[in-house]
Amino acid sequence: MSWFNVDDDDDAPYGEYADHEVRARPNPKANRPRTKRRPEHSDAVVGMVTAVDRGRYTALVPAVAKVKGGPKAQPERVVVAARARELRKTPIVIGDRVQLVGDVSGDEGSLSRIVGVEERTTLLRRSADDSDRVERIMVANAEQMLIVVAAANPEPRVRLVDRYLVAAYDAGIQPLICLTKIDLADPEPFLENFSALEVPVFRSAPGAWEDDSPEGVLSQIRETLAGKTTVFVGHSGVGKSTLINALVPEADRATGHVNEVTGRGRHTSSSSVALRARTPGAAAGETGWVIDTPGVRSFGLGHVTADGILRGFTDLVPLLDSCPRGCSHTEDAPDCELDLAIADGRLDASGARRVESLRRLMK
């Protein structure tokens, strides 16, 4: 016996359960499925990120802004923006050139949207420590790195400066050294560790930042910064914020002191920020950018490869060409040319210290 009702309409054998009677549940997110096509944002303008604060990005849009249709003349303005959803996994840092859409007027209370990041020329990175392979991007598109070190109080650390140099060379950034508080100690023994690298050095004593004469060290630093984007790095308490306040008086960066018991500086800069450093009498195109970063007591290089570290020791690279194939250049490496150069006097005491620092970083 069949369970079908013979009296049912053959065209609708299932009655109320026929397919054409079933109501499909509407899409809970939208009436139409989400498309994978994205807008081209042909009206986007390009600005430079100068500050980052809790998901909000401050960007400077120049007077002649770059747009996809060509340069566009408009008033220079500061724009506050949020990151578009599609960029949520893309790090955006100080110095990035970003594409902005929406309300880019810069009016109070306005909010634009970052929809793209321009190709970066350089990328300064660090890791939490040498065992951490996860890189933290600090600054994008910097051309120079000014390493601020105190001759004393706090004591200068050769290996920390070595790490800064390695990070700079790995990123393709020109390093500079500024030695402060030279009235407290003779800076030359410390600087001898880096003499072979031919890194430009600025020396300052108390009162140097008040001297704005053309012969003063402050004017020399200004000339070096003109037309460049320079990131400032240094140990806490070395006078980095004081120097920035001298270069950019309106910056008003907080300054601190060194603990007399521990000899350590107190963190005063809690976040990175880009500041415009104008050179008196310079053309508009020679305006430089100063990027202040928080003081650090360690600078991990877990993301840097051995080749990247070797680029930071350019004075030793010619010797490495004579090493046996596959030489690791470590202390236990057989017939390493670095050991032979120390033994036969080609490397003096300063060179031997450089080799020691290189091998410590390569471990």
Side-chain angles (χ1 to χ4, degrees), residues 211-220:
D211 180 10
D212 212 6
S213 64
E215 298 78 18
V217 64
L218 186 61
S219 295
Q220 297 174 15

Side-chain angles (χ1 to χ4, degrees), residues 141-284:
N141 300 315
E143 299 162 89
Q144 300 179 140
M145 174 194 286
L146 183 66
I147 305 169
V148 185
V149 190
N153 192 33
E155 293 297 319
R157 296 164 55 187
V158 174
R159 290 195 175 102
L160 179 59
V161 176
D162 276 338
R163 290 171 175 270
Y164 287 138
L165 291 171
V166 168
Y169 286 121
D170 180 66
I173 298 174
Q174 169 64 47
L176 314 165
I177 295 178
C178 178
L179 201 64
T180 63
K181 307 180 184 181
I182 61 174
D183 59 310
L184 301 180
D186 182 9
E188 299 310 319
F190 173 78
L191 293 175
E192 185 64 27
N193 294 285
F194 315 103
S195 58
L197 295 177
E198 299 181 352
V199 176
V201 176
F202 304 97
R203 300 169 176 82
S204 75
W209 306 145
E210 288 76 29
D211 180 10
D212 212 6
S213 64
E215 298 78 18
V217 64
L218 186 61
S219 295
Q220 297 174 15
I221 294 177
R222 277 203 181 105
E223 291 178 4
T224 305
L225 303 184
K228 303 285 187 180
T229 299
T230 307
V231 54
F232 283 46
V233 297
H235 194 289
S236 303
V238 297
K240 180 164 54 68
S241 296
T242 303
L243 171 57
I244 289 177
N245 286 337
L247 292 167
V248 190
E250 64 273 18
D252 195 25
R253 299 294 279 175
T255 59
H257 64 279
V258 177
N259 189 301
E260 295 180 359
V261 177
T262 64
R264 292 183 174 182
R266 187 173 69 89
H267 293 287
T268 53
S269 299
S270 58
S271 61
S272 299
V273 63
L275 305 164
R276 186 170 5 215
R278 299 186 184 276
T279 303

Side-chain angles (χ1 to χ4, degrees), residues 35 46 72 83 93 122 136 151 158 163 215 243 265-266 273 276 282 287:
T35 176
V46 177
K72 180 181 179 182
R83 176 166 41 184
V93 297
T122 63
R136 274 79 169 170
V158 174
R163 290 171 175 270
E215 298 78 18
L243 171 57
R266 187 173 69 89
V273 63
R276 186 170 5 215
T287 297

